[in-house]
């Protein structure tokens, strides 16, 4: 398909709402760069028939024509900013894979995408174990207690002891683990896995690159096993399983759904080993689209009225249209093309005539969508992150919180005559959620402070200010790395008195935010003022307009 093409989706057989919800599984992959997210995604798409050959996901990225200034930036940096939702059918399921931008430099969008996910796959490199980005993303999943499925990747390479990988998850994340399969050897001596439930050995055969592996299954007492797996490796694996059976928790689907127990799978995405068994088990254990909390209580996905919320906005996906797209997670009811919906924040009604599904660069005009699906809507500046759309009785979902930024920089406008455009750009980009804005408490320092999760967010903001608003700006980094909101706001801060080694600023809702240079300064302050309650995530404010520049 050409890039940026639009198609009309062919209508399949009409499903009842209950059937559509039952067959849907929605998840995001959380991982550190290089753990193999692209490779795993590709293999999953391959099984789902959504792509025909391995390499297509990357090739698509590399072949991509310059489709916007923003993508030009993406191209220069050789990374993927554009997160999309990949939908594909596999067996009797419809799977929505929410693609999280994974580069180390990026971004609050990654966190927001997790707000739309019902399940997460935590992907680890067997040699590296838990890595920083994974831990941060895990914390966001934990806020909503979503089920976590762990895939320990790159078993074809030398890795850490499997038992210590499980220990690390238990001790660092406080998650109980339940290994679904157990590896026999590792690296050059990786011979396969034992399925703990069936006690079958799945033998690892290095498949030709890009091809699906054969997945030979043998019973433990099969005499052929001796020719394929060294005796000592098999014995070691069986002893370890015995140990797990003796000490580990039982696999309990309720604990999985509560986000307290993670099923663990070992495999190798690149060589295609263990991906299909993982997908099969995942689909059995993952939760279908779940009920969501709204202002008036929980909304069940089977509620016939359509409801959904905006979790991500993206500008300039296609420069020929200078378009903006709002991504909406459908939460209840059946969404239909040309539907008129209400916009909870403004009270306006809107007819949604061109809802889209976006697969990489391709657009598909959708006729209908169900809970767990994501649709893209053209956004002429109307939608903001966290907005609710609904039909029937008014519903307003809890918004999406602001996540702790880690990079802070003054944004200077050296040209006073461009102030109007500067102000418009800063306000619009903040509304869009491209970056967080903080303000100095000293009224004479009027320039905004940009606060971001990754450096690239700042570059995107500067780039867009220049190309969309005609304002060339200058960044002046502030040497802080951590932000904490003060529970209880200004009154609690006043009770504490003078604070050292931190800077007090305010967010657009005039709440105090403390900036710290490092963890040490933060811990010092917590030690000095044990009564002070700090939060790394800002609660959602509803019904109050934020301050503009
Ligand atoms: P990411 O999206 O999480 O950043 O990771 P990506 O899939 O791009 O994988 C990072 C590197 O790890 C790639 O190698 C990929 O081939 C390799 N990899 C992924 N899964 C496995 C696995 O199961 N075993 C082994 N041995 N390697 C794996 P690269 O050299 O950076 O790219 P490429 O030349 O292979 O495309």
């Amino acid at each position: 398909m050409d890039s940026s093409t639009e198609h009309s989706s062919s209508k399949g057989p009409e499903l009842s709402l209950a059937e559509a919800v039952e067959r849907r599984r929605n998840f995001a992959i959380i991982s550190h760069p290089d753990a193999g997210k692209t490779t795993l995604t590709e293999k999953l798409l391959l099984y789902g028939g959504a792509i025909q050959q391995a390499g297509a996901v990357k090739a698509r990225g590399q072949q991509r024509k310059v489709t916007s200034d923003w993508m030009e930036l993406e191209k220069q940096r050789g990374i993927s900013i554009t997160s999309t939702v990949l939908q594909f059918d596999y067996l009797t399921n419809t799977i929505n894979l929410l693609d999280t931008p994974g580069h180390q430099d990026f971004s609050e969008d990654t966190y927001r995408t997790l707000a739309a996910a019902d399940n997460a796959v935590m992907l680890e490199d067997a040699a590296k174990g838990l890595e920083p980005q994974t831990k941060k993303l895990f914390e966001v999943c934990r806020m909503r207690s979503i089920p976590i499925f762990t895939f320990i990747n790159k078993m074809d390479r030398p890795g850490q002891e499997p038992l210590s990988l499980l220990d690390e998850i238990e001790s660092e994340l406080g998650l109980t683990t339940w290994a679904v399969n157990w590896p026999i050897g590792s690296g050059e001596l990786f011979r396969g896995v034992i399925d703990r439930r069936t006690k079958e050995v799945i033998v690892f055969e290095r498949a030709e690159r890009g091809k699906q592996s054969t997945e030979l299954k043998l019973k433990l007492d099969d005499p052929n096993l001796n020719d394929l797996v060294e005796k000592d490796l098999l014995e070691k694996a069986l002893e370890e399983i015995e140990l797990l059976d003796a000490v580990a928790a039982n696999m309990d689907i309720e604990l999985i759904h509560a986000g307290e127990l993670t099923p663990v799978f070992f495999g190798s995405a690149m060589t295609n080993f263990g991906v299909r068994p993982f997908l099969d088990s995942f689909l059995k254990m993952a939760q279908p689209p779940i009920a969501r909390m709204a202002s008036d209580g929980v909304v069940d996905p089977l509620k016939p009225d359509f409801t959904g919320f905006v979790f991500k906005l993206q500008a300039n996906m296609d420069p020929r249209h200078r378009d903006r797209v709002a991504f909406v997670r459908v939460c209840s009811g059946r969404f239909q093309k040309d539907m008129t919906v209400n916009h909870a924040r403004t009270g306006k009604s809107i007819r949604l005539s061109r809802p889209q599904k976006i697969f990489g660069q391709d657009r598909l005009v959708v006729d209908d969508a169900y809970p767990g699906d994501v649709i893209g809507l053209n956004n002429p500046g109307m939608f903001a992150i966290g907005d609710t759309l609904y039909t029937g009785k008014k519903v307003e979902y809890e918004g999406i919180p602001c996540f702790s930024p880690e990079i802070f920089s003054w944004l200077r406008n050296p040209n006073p005559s461009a102030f109007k455009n500067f102000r418009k750009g800063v306000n619009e980009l903040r509304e869009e959620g491209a970056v967080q804005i903080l303000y100095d408490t000293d009224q004479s320092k009027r320039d905004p402070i940009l606060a971001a999760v990754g450096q690239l967010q700042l570059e995107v903001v500067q780039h867009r200010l220049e190309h969309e608003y005609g304002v060339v700006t200058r960044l002046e980094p502030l040497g802080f790395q951590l932000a904490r909101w003060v529970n209880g706001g200004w009154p609690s801060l006043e009770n504490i008195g003078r604070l050292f080694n931190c800077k007090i600023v305010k967010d657009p809702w005039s709440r105090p935010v403390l900036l710290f240079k490092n963890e040490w300064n933060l811990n010092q302050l917590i030690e000095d003022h044990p009564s002070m309650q700090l939060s790394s995530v800002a609660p959602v404010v509803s019904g109050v307009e934020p301050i503009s520049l």
Side-chain angles (χ1 to χ4, degrees), residues 204-407:
F204 172 58
E205 292 175 307
R206 285 177 200 265
E208 195 188 320
R209 205 182 161 111
K211 291 277 173 347
Q212 296 185 22
S213 68
T214 47
E215 286 160 16
L216 173 66
K217 279 187 193 166
L218 296 176
K219 291 275 177 215
L220 270 171
D221 56 6
D222 190 316
N224 293 325
L225 203 55
N226 292 334
D227 301 334
L228 298 165
V229 178
E230 291 84 341
K231 200 160 166 257
D232 57 331
L233 294 180
L234 185 62
E235 271 171 11
K236 179 172 181 276
L238 288 170
E239 271 166 29
E240 286 171 337
I241 290 180
E242 238 172 72
L243 193 72
L244 289 178
D245 288 343
V247 300
N250 287 331
M251 190 175 61
D252 176 333
I253 200 81
E254 278 177 24
L255 290 179
I256 297 175
H257 288 183
E260 289 171 24
L261 184 145
T262 181
V264 181
F265 302 79
F266 292 84
S268 162
M270 189 186 83
T271 56
N272 227 333
F273 182 77
V275 178
R276 189 202 290 274
F278 166 72
L279 182 59
D280 290 341
S281 299
F282 168 79
L283 291 173
K284 287 199 189 102
M285 295 187 225
Q287 58 184 2
I290 50 165
R292 297 216 154 220
M293 195 50 138
S295 50
D296 275 355
V298 166
V299 179
D300 193 280
L302 298 180
K303 174 185 153 111
D305 294 327
F306 159 75
T307 65
F309 67 89
V310 177
F311 67 94
K312 179 178 150 66
L313 299 175
Q314 184 140 348
N316 292 347
M317 292 187 68
D318 183 346
R320 285 172 302 180
H321 306 298
R322 311 297 298 173
D323 64 347
R324 292 175 181 207
V325 176
F327 289 92
V328 175
R329 148 81 202 227
V330 179
C331 297
S332 74
R334 177 174 169 212
F335 172 84
Q336 283 175 292
K337 182 173 172 295
D338 291 324
M339 198 174 215
T340 298
V341 302
N342 301 305
H343 184 229
R345 184 167 52 86
T346 59
K348 289 189 177 144
S349 329
I350 317 159
R351 183 160 171 268
L352 301 175
S353 54
R354 296 195 73 74
Q356 298 170 343
K357 272 185 192 156
I358 295 167
F359 189 100
Q361 289 296 98
D362 302 320
R363 314 277 175 102
L364 199 74
V365 175
V366 290
D367 292 318
D368 47 22
Y370 295 93
D373 290 349
V374 170
I375 46 175
L377 302 176
N378 286 335
N379 179 27
M382 166 160 237
F383 302 120
I385 299 281
D387 281 1
T388 301
L389 301 178
Y390 67 95
T391 58
K393 188 167 167 277
K394 184 170 179 183
V395 169
E396 197 151 20
Y397 284 105
E398 290 182 319
I400 298 177
C402 295
F403 298 96
S404 180
E406 294 172 24
I407 299 176

Side-chain angles (χ1 to χ4, degrees), residues 7 33 128 429 433 504 515:
H7 310 265
K128 295 184 178 152
L429 293 177
I504 305 172
L515 306 185

Side-chain angles (χ1 to χ4, degrees), residues 31-39 58 153-157 209 268-271:
S31 65
H32 195 81
D34 260 4
K37 183 165 69 89
T38 313
T39 313
K58 274 196 179 155
N153 192 26
K154 306 200 187 181
M155 288 305 294
D156 58 306
R157 288 225 304 241
R209 205 182 161 111
S268 162
M270 189 186 83
T271 56

